[in-house]
Amino acid sequence: MTVGLNHFLVIGAILFVLGIFAMLSRRNVIAVLMGVELILNAANINFIAFTRYGGVNIGGQMAAIFVIVIAAGEAAVALAIVLNIYKNFKSVNPSEVDSLRD
Amino acid sequence: MFDIIFYIFGAITVGGALVTAFARNIVYAAFSLLFTFFGIAGLYIMANADFLAVTQLLVYVGGILILLIFGVMLTSRIGTVDIRVGTGSRWVAGIMALGLFAILCAAFFGTAATHTEKSADGKSQVVTSWATHATRPWSGSKWNQDATTEALKPKYGAPDEVKSNEGSSGTSVEIGTLFLTDYLLPFEVISVLILVSLLGATMIARKEPTKEEEAIAESVSV
């Protein structure tokens, strides 16, 4: 079976569900962020696959570039927030961070 | 050959993602993410997205991954903590993920893909083909409806079978042109967004000055 659109889509789907699993089953905020990165990459793979096989033009790659930029911004802000949470709670476990005030 | 390389990159990607999702130690998770990002860059190249592949390496491997590893090292006692939740929650998460995967696969394999195609008399018509069939590559795109496809036809057959993009200048030219024409407004908006997010990140992460430091700063400014 020659590699086609569906192969790319299935790899994207695998990355997506692994990202969801990582987000749901982690006790460390940074590991949750890794799950988010996996999900963003899954979306990018779909964009690229449809650019190549789906009959859309290069607009899919443009969308993927915007996704990458937003991922970079998200990682920076999220890491800053995580560092602050660690400073205030001495923990990065999302279940223990359950208070909005000191 | 294309298929073999695709499967190698796919295996690297999925294997890295599996370790990221299941590892007990967060440092293993972070470093396996490196393999995932490399594999994805390879997949981009397989799909003729050369500019995207380089961007992926620069931004993800060179930036985001380093940032994540910094975060790991600044927050946790490395190697001593099991980062997984309890077994019960893990089962629930796994079942939800598997169900989602089944739904997605059902959608992929049950959907007919359509694309427009010029028929012999010059009229364009919508053609339906099942997504399992590799639909006409590059159709509808300016950068590949060039002479390359035509020139490769006698050698490789109809565009359906054309896999190579040799002779093309790559996607950088087209992407650069689009950024300064059709996508100018999104480009500007996203540059403002990244500027604001970086400034916000520095604001949030900076250390609160103590009373003494504030006093020193005031005396200096006066």
Side-chain angles (χ1 to χ4, degrees):
Chain A
M1 188 171 165
T2 47
V3 168
L5 175 62
N6 270 358
H7 291 75
F8 282 92
L9 293 186
V10 166
I11 286 196
I14 292 173
L15 284 190
F16 180 75
V17 295
L18 285 176
I20 292 276
F21 181 81
M23 283 175 71
L24 290 176
S25 72
R26 292 307 193 172
R27 267 202 307 212
N28 188 320
V29 183
I30 296 174
V32 174
L33 283 178
M34 291 177 192
V36 176
E37 300 299 336
L38 283 183
I39 290 175
L40 289 168
N41 272 293
N44 266 352
I45 286 183
N46 279 16
F47 276 127
I48 303 293
F50 278 107
T51 304
R52 170 72 171 79
Y53 292 102
V56 300
N57 57 17
I58 204 164
Q61 294 193 14
M62 306 298 290
I65 291 176
F66 289 123
V67 171
I68 288 179
V69 174
I70 288 178
E74 172 256 358
V77 173
L79 257 299
I81 292 174
V82 170
L83 288 185
N84 254 10
I85 286 176
Y86 184 69
K87 204 170 67 187
N88 287 337
F89 290 87
K90 297 286 170 250
S91 162
V92 283
N93 185 347
S95 331
E96 288 173 16
V97 181
D98 52 3
S99 162
L100 280 177
R101 54 191 180 131
D102 292 332
Chain B
M1 195 60 197
F2 182 89
D3 293 6
I4 297 169
I5 299 174
F6 176 87
Y7 285 123
I8 290 173
F9 279 130
I12 292 173
T13 307
V14 173
L18 279 171
V19 177
T20 303
F22 290 99
R24 182 187 299 251
N25 184 324
I26 191 162
V27 181
Y28 292 164
F31 277 98
S32 67
L33 211 54
L34 176 74
F35 291 96
T36 307
F37 290 154
F38 266 113
I40 290 170
L43 290 180
Y44 287 172
I45 292 175
M46 309 295 289
N48 293 337
D50 46 358
F51 181 77
L52 254 292
V54 176
T55 313
Q56 167 89 6
L57 285 186
L58 282 178
V59 175
Y60 271 102
V61 180
I64 293 176
L65 191 60
I66 301 295
L67 216 54
L68 285 173
I69 292 175
F70 268 138
V72 170
M73 294 187 175
L74 286 174
T75 55
S76 54
R77 298 179 299 280
I78 293 167
T80 56
V81 194
D82 188 352
I83 59 168
R84 302 174 302 176
V85 293
T87 321
S89 313
R90 265 220 313 285
W91 275 108
V92 175
I95 289 167
M96 283 174 68
L98 278 180
L100 196 60
F101 185 64
I103 293 171
L104 286 173
C105 279
F108 296 156
F109 292 101
T111 307
T114 60
H115 61 277
T116 50
E117 200 170 71
K118 285 253 170 67
S119 57
D121 54 349
K123 267 191 282 183
S124 61
Q125 55 177 1
V126 177
V127 179
T128 304
S129 61
W130 290 94
T132 44
H133 175 245
T135 47
R136 195 189 172 97
W138 313 338
S139 67
S141 166
K142 268 183 290 177
W143 59 277
N144 48 43
Q145 277 181 343
D146 53 11
T148 315
T149 315
E150 291 299 315
L152 290 176
K153 224 180 220 172
K155 200 172 167 191
Y156 292 108
D160 276 356
E161 281 80 42
V162 174
K163 294 283 191 198
S164 95
N165 200 19
E166 59 182 290
S168 159
S169 60
T171 57
S172 319
V173 176
E174 179 91 356
I175 286 175
T177 313
L178 279 175
F179 261 136
L180 292 179
T181 53
D182 292 359
Y183 289 83
L184 186 57
L185 180 62
F187 181 67
E188 293 298 333
V189 169
I190 205 143
S191 25
V192 173
L193 178 88
I194 193 94
L195 175 69
V196 168
S197 71
L198 289 180
L199 283 178
T202 6
M203 267 305 283
I204 296 171
R206 110 201 135 104
K207 234 167 67 181
E208 293 278 326
T210 57
K211 287 266 161 59
E212 294 166 15
E213 284 169 348
E214 270 179 6
I216 292 171
E218 269 182 31
S219 67
V220 167
S221 66
V222 170

